[in-house]
Amino acid sequence: MPELPDITAYLSALEPRISGQPLLGVRLNSFTLLRTAQPPLESAAGRTVRELRRIGKRIAIGLDDELWLVLHLMIAGRLHWKPPAAKLAGRNALAAFDFPI
């Protein structure tokens, strides 16, 4: 599982940044990340991050009311920290998760 060190590093970096923070919104540049339509992705906006965990090769972000956002690094690629509402530029920018700074 060569992805395991990457996922562990991402979780360590994300924990202090987003734990306890409200998710302002999710913007998709490509629907390759989206695997379900119910509940709608827009329902994640405004919910607070309560938990982060690794599920195999995935990063799971637990929000209020037991809503989970799960990213697979093989699909998502690399995560980059940018200001809220930063432009999704280029074909490698699949999505943005906006949090307060």
Side-chain angles (χ1 to χ4, degrees), residues 11-67:
L11 288 174
S12 295
L14 286 171
E15 183 76 35
R17 289 180 171 169
I18 69 172
S19 187
Q21 296 294 318
L23 176 63
L24 302 176
V26 180
R27 295 175 287 130
L28 287 181
N29 200 22
S30 170
F31 286 95
T32 59
L33 283 178
L34 193 59
R35 297 292 185 228
T36 184
Q38 291 298 323
L41 189 57
E42 295 82 22
S43 68
R47 296 183 193 223
T48 301
V49 176
R50 298 295 175 200
E51 186 177 353
L52 291 164
R53 67 169 77 153
R54 179 183 67 82
I55 302 173
K57 298 177 183 181
R58 296 167 183 86
I59 295 171
I61 302 170
L63 305 171
D64 288 334
D65 302 321
E66 298 186 28
L67 182 67

Side-chain angles (χ1 to χ4, degrees), residues 43-100:
S43 68
R47 296 183 193 223
T48 301
V49 176
R50 298 295 175 200
E51 186 177 353
L52 291 164
R53 67 169 77 153
R54 179 183 67 82
I55 302 173
K57 298 177 183 181
R58 296 167 183 86
I59 295 171
I61 302 170
L63 305 171
D64 288 334
D65 302 321
E66 298 186 28
L67 182 67
W68 288 86
L69 300 175
V70 182
L71 302 171
H72 192 293
L73 287 185
M74 181 177 257
I75 303 298
R78 298 286 178 228
L79 302 178
H80 302 276
W81 194 259
K82 296 184 181 182
K87 184 179 177 187
L88 286 168
R91 65 181 185 95
N92 291 332
L94 302 179
F97 301 87
D98 292 326
F99 290 94

